[in-house]
Amino acid sequence: MVKEMYNDINLDRIDINLEPPTEEPARQYYFMAKCREWVKDFEQKNGRSPKSCVINFGCQMNARDSEKLRGILRDVGYIESSEEKADFVIYNTCTVRENANTRIYGRLGQLKPRKKKNPHMMIGLCGCMMQEPEAVEKLKKSYSFIDLIFGTHNIYKFAELLAARFEAGRMVIDIWKDTDKIVENLPNERKYTFKSGVNIMFGCNNFCSYCIVPYVRGRERSRRPQAIIQEIRRLVADGVSEVMLLGQNVNSYGKTLDIPMSFAQLLKEIEKIEGLKRIRFMTSHPKDLSDELIKVMAESKKICRHLHLPIQSGSTRILEKMNRRYTKEQYLLLVEKLRAAVPDISLTTDIIVGFPGETEEDFKETLDVVRKVRYDSAFTFIYSKRTGTPAAVMEGQVPEEVVKDRFDRLLYEVQSIAGQMCAVHEGSVQEVLVESVSEQDPSMVTGRLSNNLLVHFPGSPELIGSYVDVTLKECKGFYYIGMK
Ligand code: 5AD
Ligand code: SF4
């Protein structure tokens, strides 16, 4: 685990007897200092530091948010532990599909008896599910043993809320509906020394008719390019060589800035950062993917040869009902342009089956796109009804057996094509960023190619974080066995 640089703040020098500052992030540093006092008190009484565990659900944006929570917990004195041993368990929730919520209720049910046994124990909930008023109502009523509930817009206030919980001694809830606030320079606990996610924007304005994200993550807002560049420079100085630029719709980056800037222009600036070797980004919306961006990708030495380009459905009729604002033909044309400009690009996608009104004909259009594009991999989802979205009240909800059958057929198609796409690189030598010791075999390490495929090859842990040329010996469908 790595301590990331943020303003060299010494929490012990902050006078917590004064009134809290009103400006950010100074206000949060103040509350971190306050929490630290509480932690010291805990240490005196119990002869040990309190232990915490942040469990992440959902997407990479959430994963990055979880790193921010861990950074604050570390700096106030918590020791990271497993969920079983933790005195403070935080679930950073997702709500993109219904089953994400169901899982949280299930896990909370399991935590309850533990909390009864351990008087120190605290439970925190944050993230997208907390932005749904019905979910919070249910938690208040039936899960009153929870200590802290906050949402996606005020996550930067975590230290302040934690201090409020320590003081109140009972459940604290703070949920905001929306915000245009972006607070920079808070601490962070990165999972990897050599790669990191970097938020470039928050929220989403697209309102795809099935999707709850615009309601729970709020309106689109971009970070200032200077703040992004500065963060990446610091990360590189701290050993990072690969960044993943994160946003719900990175292709519309910069539209809301005082001095507007395109995503392609931002990429060009990031490319100039010395010491940075790989740039990834997600997620791209096909409707906003510009020719300028394709050109920048083609000319770049650092942008990875991979693009995640969610199609959602291959039927223009369904795409219209989804409010995706492109047609099947426009999407296919875009793929053609991308492949012409960047021939070795790997393409992945998201597909939803069973959107309301989807007929067999519509579904066959989706299969057709899958066969034409030949994705390197695809995430396939069964449509999940999200209350409050336009699609939830659309007619023609598709029966479960029909959806299941389509899902299986789609998965078969996606997997067989992905296997063939993976095999084309067999025998080539490619640069790999080594990420970890292989989970299956401790004498092997696992690394990632520019096109995002994984390779396992014989090697020792010292290789982690370095770039190695590896011969791709054998394709195993979704990954390779290689040799240095
Ligand atoms: N049902 C099923 N899948 C969904 N996604 C978003 N909302 C829903 C929903 N209501 C999928 C989309 C998106 C991915 C992150 O999750 O495919 O690209
Ligand atoms: Fe949801 Fe569409 Fe926004 Fe993606 S672009 S987060 S699918 S509304």
Side-chain angles (χ1 to χ4, degrees):
M1 296 288 165
V2 221
K3 181 156 172 140
E4 191 167 295
M5 277 186 271
Y6 68 108
N7 282 1
D8 282 323
I9 285 293
N10 185 345
L11 294 182
D12 292 326
R13 290 234 194 100
I14 295 175
D15 186 351
I16 53 171
N17 297 312
L18 297 176
E19 283 296 300
T22 47
E23 75 280 11
E24 299 292 1
R27 187 173 170 87
Q28 297 315 310
Y29 300 154
Y30 171 92
F31 283 109
M32 283 167 66
K34 268 203 138 172
C35 290
R36 182 117 124 199
E37 284 304 306
W38 185 90
V39 166
K40 280 182 189 156
D41 193 47
F42 178 102
E43 285 167 344
Q44 278 203 332
K45 284 188 187 135
N46 299 284
R48 66 170 178 92
S49 299
K51 297 180 195 138
S52 66
C53 178
V54 180
I55 307 221
N56 190 65
F57 297 86
C59 67
Q60 310 216 24
M61 299 281 273
N62 259 24
R64 185 69 179 147
D65 282 347
S66 291
E67 292 186 347
K68 295 174 186 169
L69 299 177
R70 287 189 197 108
I72 291 174
L73 287 166
R74 172 200 63 206
D75 286 0
V76 303
Y78 273 89
I79 306 283
E80 217 176 316
S81 78
S82 65
E83 185 181 2
E84 292 69 40
K85 293 195 178 127
D87 303 290
F88 189 11
V89 174
I90 302 181
Y91 291 158
N92 189 5
T93 63
C94 170
T95 185
V96 77
R97 283 168 291 275
E98 177 70 32
N99 58 5
N101 293 31
T102 319
R103 271 173 78 193
I104 293 294
Y105 293 124
R107 290 184 76 140
L108 284 173
Q110 289 168 1
L111 278 187
K112 190 177 178 181
R114 268 192 57 208
K115 176 147 181 173
K116 272 201 173 143
K117 272 194 232 143
N118 178 354
H120 304 304
M121 176 135 181
M122 293 206 302
I123 300 169
L125 287 173
C126 62
C128 293
M129 183 178 157
M130 300 307 116
Q131 295 293 144
E132 286 181 276
E134 305 76 32
V136 174
E137 269 318 302
K138 181 168 170 174
L139 291 167
K140 268 205 286 197
K141 238 173 109 197
S142 314
Y143 297 81
S144 55
F145 56 91
I146 293 164
D147 296 274
L148 182 55
I149 296 181
F150 55 103
T152 55
H153 300 300
N154 55 349
I155 190 157
Y156 74 86
K157 270 181 71 184
F158 175 52
E160 183 169 349
L161 295 170
L162 186 57
R165 168 62 189 80
F166 287 146
E167 244 151 59
R170 58 187 157 80
M171 190 196 260
V172 168
I173 304 182
D174 190 23
I175 312 279
W176 297 2
K177 266 191 125 115
D178 204 350
T179 185
D180 53 8
K181 204 168 176 133
I182 298 177
V183 178
E184 303 286 354
N185 270 321
L186 285 171
N188 226 311
E189 171 88 9
R190 288 204 317 275
K191 188 169 171 199
Y192 298 99
T193 49
F194 51 86
K195 68 169 188 177
S196 179
V198 174
N199 296 111
I200 62 164
M201 59 198 299
F202 304 94
C204 181
N205 285 353
N206 287 322
F207 290 95
C208 299
S209 64
Y210 50 83
C211 185
I212 202 162
V213 168
Y215 306 89
V216 296
R217 287 262 170 193
R219 292 295 61 73
E220 204 170 281
R221 52 214 182 273
S222 297
R223 273 178 84 192
R224 287 181 306 107
Q226 297 83 343
I228 298 169
I229 306 274
Q230 191 189 37
E231 179 177 350
I232 300 177
R233 283 219 182 96
R234 282 181 179 171
L235 287 167
V236 170
D238 200 31
V240 165
S241 66
E242 176 180 306
V243 289
M244 165 77 92
L245 309 176
L246 298 171
Q248 244 36 271
N249 178 15
V250 290
N251 296 344
S252 72
Y253 170 81
K255 286 185 182 156
T256 52
L257 289 169
D258 294 340
I259 308 167
M261 178 185 215
S262 71
F263 180 52
Q265 285 167 329
L266 176 72
L267 281 172
K268 274 181 157 171
E269 291 306 311
I270 295 175
E271 173 105 15
K272 290 181 198 153
I273 298 174
E274 244 173 83
L276 183 66
K277 281 201 61 155
R278 281 182 172 181
I279 306 170
R280 300 184 186 275
F281 52 82
M282 79 186 319
T283 297
S284 284
H285 194 305
K287 81 172 163 61
D288 297 313
L289 201 145
S290 64
D291 290 348
E292 187 196 9
L293 176 63
I294 298 179
K295 189 161 174 279
V296 169
M297 286 183 79
E299 287 168 0
S300 168
K301 295 210 169 40
K302 297 185 179 176
I303 300 174
C304 287
R305 286 352 205 181
H306 169 225
L307 187 70
H308 186 64
L309 196 62
I311 173 117
Q312 311 299 2
S313 166
S315 152
T316 297
R317 199 181 71 84
I318 295 293
L319 286 169
E320 204 179 326
K321 290 177 75 179
M322 287 177 161
N323 192 29
R324 291 289 290 176
R325 285 172 276 173
Y326 53 84
T327 62
K328 174 188 180 188
E329 288 69 32
Q330 283 167 336
Y331 184 93
L332 289 174
L333 198 68
L334 187 58
V335 168
E336 228 172 84
K337 276 203 276 186
L338 276 160
R339 287 230 164 100
V342 193
D344 53 347
I345 198 166
S346 134
L347 291 174
T348 58
T349 200
D350 291 344
I351 304 170
I352 298 176
V353 259
F355 184 84
E358 184 190 75
T359 62
E360 179 61 22
E361 284 315 302
D362 293 317
F363 175 66
K364 284 199 172 122
E365 296 273 5
T366 300
L367 285 181
D368 186 46
V369 171
V370 168
R371 288 182 192 130
K372 285 200 167 108
V373 176
R374 301 182 60 75
Y375 293 105
D376 293 79
S377 98
F379 295 104
T380 50
F381 304 107
I382 286 179
Y383 167 73
S384 169
K385 192 171 167 177
R386 307 311 289 123
T387 310
T389 62
V393 289
M394 282 183 190
E395 289 188 355
Q397 304 279 333
V398 187
E400 214 180 302
E401 343 54 92
V402 177
V403 180
K404 187 81 190 54
D405 171 63
R406 285 182 195 160
F407 184 82
D408 291 344
R409 282 154 66 202
L410 177 66
L411 197 65
Y412 176 78
E413 199 68 38
V414 159
Q415 288 185 343
S416 31
I417 293 173
Q420 294 162 20
M421 293 303 284
C422 179
V424 302
H425 308 285
E426 209 169 73
S428 67
V429 179
Q430 298 208 25
E431 192 176 48
V432 168
L433 169 56
V434 184
E435 296 196 341
S436 57
V437 172
S438 160
E439 277 174 24
Q440 272 84 40
D441 179 349
S443 71
M444 310 264 272
V445 288
T446 301
R448 208 174 278 275
L449 302 178
S450 168
N451 71 10
N452 214 33
L453 277 173
L454 289 178
V455 188
H456 306 285
F457 66 98
S460 57
E462 298 87 75
L463 290 175
I464 291 173
S466 64
Y467 290 82
V468 181
D469 283 334
V470 173
T471 310
L472 307 179
K473 288 278 185 202
E474 195 189 346
C475 171
K476 294 278 193 184
F478 302 101
Y479 63 92
Y480 276 100
I481 299 297
M483 195 59 81
K484 208 164 75 159

